[in-house]
Amino acid sequence: MKEDSEKLLADVRQVVSDIDEYLKSRKSRVATGVKEARQSGIAALQTARDELAAFEEKMLSNARKGAEHVDRYARENPWAMLGAAAVAAFVAGYGVARKMDGRGKAQA
């Protein structure tokens, strides 16, 4: 019986040793995988930041060009711009007036 218990104890020690070795090898593999995933994530984030910066610059450039075009048109045709502003104000006022009843309260 003593031999059986010693054999069982030796087997349990061997199993614990095997599990420990497996976990250590697994840990190094996981650490390597995590490191690679982290580096990949950082690279993807940097790419996204670069693309966002390029998109932002393009949009700002287009907005500047549009503003310059409107400014130039307004300077060349001031009466047309004044007329357009008057029409826009009339339409906005008409829309607000339709929402109000005769006592200045909004209709449901």
Side-chain angles (χ1 to χ4, degrees):
M1 176 114 164
K2 187 174 182 178
E3 293 175 3
D4 290 338
S5 62
E6 287 177 6
K7 174 136 175 60
L8 180 61
L9 187 58
D11 288 344
V12 169
R13 285 183 182 146
Q14 184 61 43
V15 168
V16 169
S17 176
D18 290 345
I19 290 172
D20 188 43
E21 287 178 29
Y22 173 75
L23 290 176
K24 285 179 183 176
S25 70
R26 187 79 177 149
K27 182 179 176 182
S28 67
R29 285 188 211 145
V30 169
T32 302
V34 168
K35 187 176 181 180
E36 289 172 358
R38 182 175 182 271
Q39 289 173 345
S40 175
I42 289 171
L45 183 60
Q46 187 60 43
T47 300
R49 284 181 181 157
D50 293 343
E51 289 177 2
L52 181 61
F55 178 74
E56 182 181 11
E57 183 60 36
K58 183 178 178 182
M59 293 304 296
L60 287 173
S61 175
N62 288 343
R64 283 187 200 106
K65 288 178 184 176
E68 289 170 0
H69 179 72
V70 169
D71 183 57
R72 185 174 53 249
Y73 183 80
R75 290 178 189 276
E76 292 172 359
N77 304 299
W79 292 108
M81 292 301 290
L82 182 63
V87 169
F90 176 78
V91 170
Y94 183 76
V96 169
R98 289 193 43 106
K99 293 283 183 185
M100 301 294 223
D101 65 8
R103 293 171 288 194
K105 295 182 181 178
Q107 293 178 358

